[in-house]
């Protein structure tokens, strides 16, 4: 199932900075890049490399993405981009009640849109709803990649990355006003790599590899006979009322 929350903002949010913040957070936290693949042995969990994600995020996705060769599931990093994670929905021209109803319908669609085995379908999605009076930021994540504890970390990192990018964006505007240049080249700052996030705890791949290594250790193998005996012991039924 999913976790979702809707956040109210009194001031207008900058879509470019939200997108940059999402890029930074997804690149920083491995589990947010998770995708699943069905194999003859069951389900394989795959996390594209951080460097692959950053490179793919810096390439504007096109309609041909859906035609990419997915025979090698690990190539998903080449087509997994923020364009499939973040969207802006403009409801500013709708009356308040109609806008609220539209927001609810669209948010529900995003809730229903997850597909664990579709490599083009990220397990985190963010929607910026622009209403006449203010903005709403809708975030939904699949429970496979986050739980209630994850939200605090996710929100703190998103806020930090957004504020850092806003500072960069403001500096760019000031700089270009001085040089009388009217446009900002968004691609130069959309994926800014100067965004710094706090040091993360043990990444999931490292923990999984350590767990697999421990399962083959002498310490654990020495307990094997004991647990086999426990399993094979006869047991009676619990009394029922």
């Amino acid at each position: 199932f999913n976790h979702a929350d809707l956040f109210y903002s009194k001031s207008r949010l900058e879509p470019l900075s939200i997108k940059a913040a999402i890029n930074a957070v997804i690149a920083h936290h491995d589990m947010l890049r998770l995708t699943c693949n069905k194999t003859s042995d069951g389900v394989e969990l795959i996390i594209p490399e951080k460097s692959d994600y950053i490179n793919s995020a810096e390439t504007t996705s096109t309609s041909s993405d859906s035609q990419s060769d997915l025979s090698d599931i690990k190539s998903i990093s080449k087509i997994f981009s923020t364009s499939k994670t973040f969207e802006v929905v403009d409801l500013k021209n709708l009356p308040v009640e109609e806008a609220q109803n539209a927001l609810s319908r669209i948010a529900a669609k995003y809730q229903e849109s997850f597909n664990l085995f579709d490599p083009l379908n990220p397990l985190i999605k963010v929607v910026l709803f622009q209403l006449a009076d203010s903005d709403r930021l809708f975030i939904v994540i699949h429970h496979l990649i986050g739980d209630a504890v994850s939200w605090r970390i996710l929100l703190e990192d998103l806020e930090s990355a957004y504020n850092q990018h806003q500072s960069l964006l403001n500096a760019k505007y000031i700089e270009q006003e001085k040089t009388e240049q009217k446009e900002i080249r968004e691609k130069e700052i959309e994926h800014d790599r100067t965004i710094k996030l706090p040091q993360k705890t043990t990444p999931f791949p490292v923990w999984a590899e350590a767990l697999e290594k421990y399962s083959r250790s002498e310490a654990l193998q020495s307990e094997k006979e004991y647990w086999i005996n426990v399993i094979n012991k006869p047991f009676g039924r619990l009394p029922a009322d």
Side-chain angles (χ1 to χ4, degrees), residues 235-241:
F235 60 90
R237 294 184 176 276
L238 293 174
D241 293 337

Side-chain angles (χ1 to χ4, degrees), residues 43-151:
V43 177
E44 180 182 17
L45 302 182
I46 298 172
I47 300 177
E49 293 293 332
K50 172 181 177 179
S51 58
D52 289 339
Y53 172 75
I54 293 175
N55 292 334
S56 68
E58 290 178 350
T59 303
T60 303
S61 63
T62 64
S63 59
S64 62
D65 284 349
S66 59
Q67 303 300 320
S68 300
D69 180 13
L70 300 181
S71 56
D72 177 7
I73 192 67
K74 293 181 176 59
S75 68
I76 191 269
S77 59
K78 300 176 183 177
I79 53 179
F80 187 100
S81 68
T82 317
S83 62
K84 302 175 182 67
T85 304
F86 175 59
E87 185 174 348
V88 179
V89 177
D90 188 349
L91 303 174
K92 292 194 291 290
N93 293 328
L94 294 180
V96 175
E97 187 174 349
E98 287 185 31
Q100 293 286 1
N101 291 335
L103 187 155
S104 297
R105 291 195 304 271
I106 296 170
K109 290 293 184 182
Y110 273 90
Q111 290 265 37
E112 300 166 0
S113 67
F114 287 111
N115 183 341
L116 289 177
F117 301 105
D118 178 1
L120 297 178
N121 195 332
L123 299 183
I124 176 172
K125 298 181 182 180
V126 181
V127 186
L128 174 61
F129 290 100
Q130 298 175 326
L131 280 67
D133 62 337
S134 58
D135 287 349
R136 312 286 195 279
L137 191 66
F138 178 69
I139 304 175
V140 56
I141 58 175
H142 195 282
H143 193 42
L144 185 62
I145 66 169
D147 56 20
V149 178
S150 308
W151 274 101

Side-chain angles (χ1 to χ4, degrees), residues 174-196:
I174 294 173
E175 177 185 339
Q176 295 209 357
E177 283 178 358
K178 288 180 179 179
T179 58
E180 297 183 353
Q181 296 178 7
K182 302 299 182 182
E183 294 182 0
I184 289 182
R185 294 183 60 187
E186 293 184 353
K187 285 297 175 183
E188 291 182 356
I189 54 177
E190 179 181 337
H191 305 286
D192 177 59
R193 302 191 189 195
T194 63
I195 292 177
K196 303 297 181 184

Side-chain angles (χ1 to χ4, degrees), residues 188-222:
E188 291 182 356
I189 54 177
E190 179 181 337
H191 305 286
D192 177 59
R193 302 191 189 195
T194 63
I195 292 177
K196 303 297 181 184
L197 295 175
Q199 184 175 359
K200 59 186 178 183
T201 55
T202 303
F204 177 80
V206 175
W207 175 82
E209 289 172 4
L211 195 63
E212 194 275 335
K213 182 179 179 181
Y214 177 65
S215 71
R216 295 182 280 104
S217 67
E218 290 185 9
L220 195 61
Q221 290 298 318
S222 65

